[in-house]
Amino acid sequence: MLHAKAGIAQIRPHMRGGHDESLPPITVALNSNENAYGPSANALAAARAAVSSFERYLENPGRILASALADRFDLDARRIAIGPGSDGLLAQLARAYLGPGSQLVRSANGYLKVPNYAYANDAEAVSVEDDCFRPSVDNMIAALNERTRIVYLANPENPAGTHVSGKEVRRLHAALPDNVLLVIDSAYEEYCDGQGYESATRLVEEADNVVMCRTFSKIFGLAGARVGWLYGPEQVVDTVNRIGLTFPVASPSVAAAVAALEDAVHTEFVARANEQERRWMTAEMEALGLSVVPSQTNFILVHFGSKEKTAEVATAALRRQGIALRRFASPAYREHVRITLGHHHDLAAARDALFNFLEGAA
């Protein structure tokens, strides 16, 4: 009988809910942290133009996109790798640096898919207790041992939206042996204006064992294009490229990403609009008597404290109205719902539906 790696059997879904044909179509999608404002018009035009060459492979997509990223963020292009979303790059890092007997350390209530990267490589995922959904650097340091090979930190976190300061990230890094890779997932960096936050780019350039992962799926509005990038030491970039796909990103996706990088006006608009709606939706949820974890992202995490008006029942009630929110499989999030920020009219519709639900009208 054919057997896959033993660790793969440990992989479980990390999100609740899925396609259900018995439910009405989703008309208000607030469940997947997409950018509701969409990509730059220039990015859409570039993608359409690139379709005319669909019969050809795009030669050196990594070089093209790395050069554009280096120009936009003042980075060293030799330290950049690209892949099919940041998820793809995280999987490649795990494949390169984890194996049987090794460990990945992560915050227990951080990005819930991360243990699966370890399991897929027959490695162990060590999940350490956090501090009210905020990663605990002290607990991560305490979990280190001779088997640790990767320490994963999402900053800001998902699904809680919390962040840790640059000072704390540096303290974590200082505690790591040279043979442990610190992976900082910065998917939501462009939305973060939290106190003490520091981009990981400087730490990457100062150390030999730090990698930062970023994405075009969030503020650039290109979730469907599946484009991610990594900034790290040249030897790590070389390793990731060696085990990557020959043509890792489709030509229209590369064209859209390059154009999106050039349109700073659009990304600045998205950041401002997101901040405004984050403040508004947080206040509205609190006015309904719900508690909200302070967020530095394009979503908020809302807690339901009632035994009757639970997060599960609330999510189901709204879904029957065509409004999709997100729940998670982790017990820590049993009474929490994540709401992606988007257009004001969509958020208002979700607010009204939640009001009716809590008042017994739903």
Side-chain angles (χ1 to χ4, degrees):
M1 182 176 180
L2 191 63
H3 293 283
K5 292 179 182 178
I8 293 176
Q10 298 183 66
I11 294 175
R12 297 289 186 273
H14 64 286
M15 296 185 291
R16 294 190 183 279
H19 180 68
D20 187 339
E21 292 185 356
S22 68
L23 294 172
I26 295 174
T27 55
V28 178
L30 303 175
N31 56 332
S32 290
N33 295 350
E34 296 141 336
N35 176 354
Y37 304 100
S40 159
N42 296 340
L44 289 175
R48 294 188 184 102
V51 171
S52 63
S53 301
F54 244 178
E55 76 281 7
R56 301 289 184 185
Y57 292 117
L58 178 63
E59 297 292 338
N60 296 314
R63 178 185 56 78
I64 294 169
L65 192 47
S67 178
L69 285 161
D71 289 343
R72 170 68 186 269
F73 296 112
D74 191 24
L75 303 176
D76 182 349
R78 297 170 298 178
R79 290 173 169 265
I80 298 173
I82 69 168
S86 55
D87 265 347
L89 290 166
L90 290 169
Q92 285 171 246
L93 287 168
R95 180 181 165 199
Y97 295 101
L98 294 177
S102 65
Q103 293 181 343
L104 177 152
V105 173
R106 43 87 67 166
S107 184
N109 296 310
Y111 184 33
L112 297 173
K113 186 177 180 180
V114 170
N116 293 344
Y117 299 130
Y119 301 150
N121 293 282
D122 287 336
E124 181 182 356
V126 178
S127 300
V128 302
E129 186 177 353
D130 60 25
D131 181 13
C132 297
F133 295 130
R134 181 177 177 273
S136 169
V137 168
D138 286 335
N139 290 343
M140 297 180 89
I141 292 174
L144 300 173
N145 61 48
E146 69 279 358
R147 297 169 59 197
T148 307
R149 290 295 174 268
I150 290 179
V151 173
Y152 171 90
L153 174 69
N155 197 29
E157 268 287 12
N158 174 28
T162 58
H163 83 290
V164 296
S165 69
K167 181 179 179 180
E168 285 290 275
V169 175
R170 288 176 176 275
R171 186 164 71 86
L172 173 61
H173 173 254
L176 301 183
D178 292 340
N179 67 338
V180 174
L181 182 66
L182 176 59
V183 177
I184 303 174
D185 187 345
S186 301
Y188 299 92
E189 175 165 311
E190 290 89 351
Y191 294 111
C192 185
D193 59 2
Q195 184 175 7
Y197 181 81
E198 178 185 324
S199 175
T201 54
R202 288 180 59 189
L203 187 56
V204 168
E205 293 170 348
E206 296 168 5
D208 293 327
N209 61 336
V210 181
V211 167
M212 174 187 69
C213 291
R214 301 273 287 274
T215 182
F216 281 84
S217 297
K218 307 306 177 187
I219 202 163
F220 292 106
L222 294 172
R226 306 306 301 132
V227 187
W229 60 285
L230 172 155
Y231 193 55
E234 288 187 55
Q235 67 269 24
V236 175
V237 169
D238 177 67
T239 297
V240 167
N241 285 334
R242 284 174 183 268
I243 62 175
L245 301 174
T246 304
F247 301 100
V249 180
S251 49
S253 297
V254 173
V258 171
L261 288 170
E262 295 172 350
D263 193 348
V265 172
H266 181 73
T267 53
E268 289 168 2
F269 156 73
V270 173
R272 288 195 305 271
N274 182 82
E275 182 182 7
Q276 177 178 327
E277 298 302 342
R278 186 168 63 196
R279 290 197 303 266
W280 183 84
M281 193 62 171
T282 297
E284 292 297 311
M285 294 299 97
E286 291 174 343
L288 294 180
L290 306 173
S291 60
V292 180
V293 177
S295 174
Q296 289 293 314
T297 60
N298 70 335
F299 58 84
I300 59 173
L301 187 68
V302 180
H303 179 256
F304 289 72
S306 169
K307 291 183 179 180
E308 294 79 23
K309 304 291 185 176
T310 65
E312 180 179 8
V313 177
T315 305
L318 267 67
R319 181 62 188 85
R320 289 192 294 270
Q321 300 172 58
I323 302 172
L325 310 179
R326 178 70 73 198
R327 291 185 64 241
F328 297 93
S330 169
Y333 291 107
R334 182 181 302 277
E335 289 306 322
H336 289 82
V337 172
R338 193 189 68 191
I339 303 176
T340 302
L341 301 170
H343 292 294
H344 186 79
H345 58 83
D346 286 338
L347 296 176
R351 184 272 315 273
D352 292 346
L354 284 170
F355 173 82
N356 291 333
F357 167 77
L358 294 169
E359 293 296 311

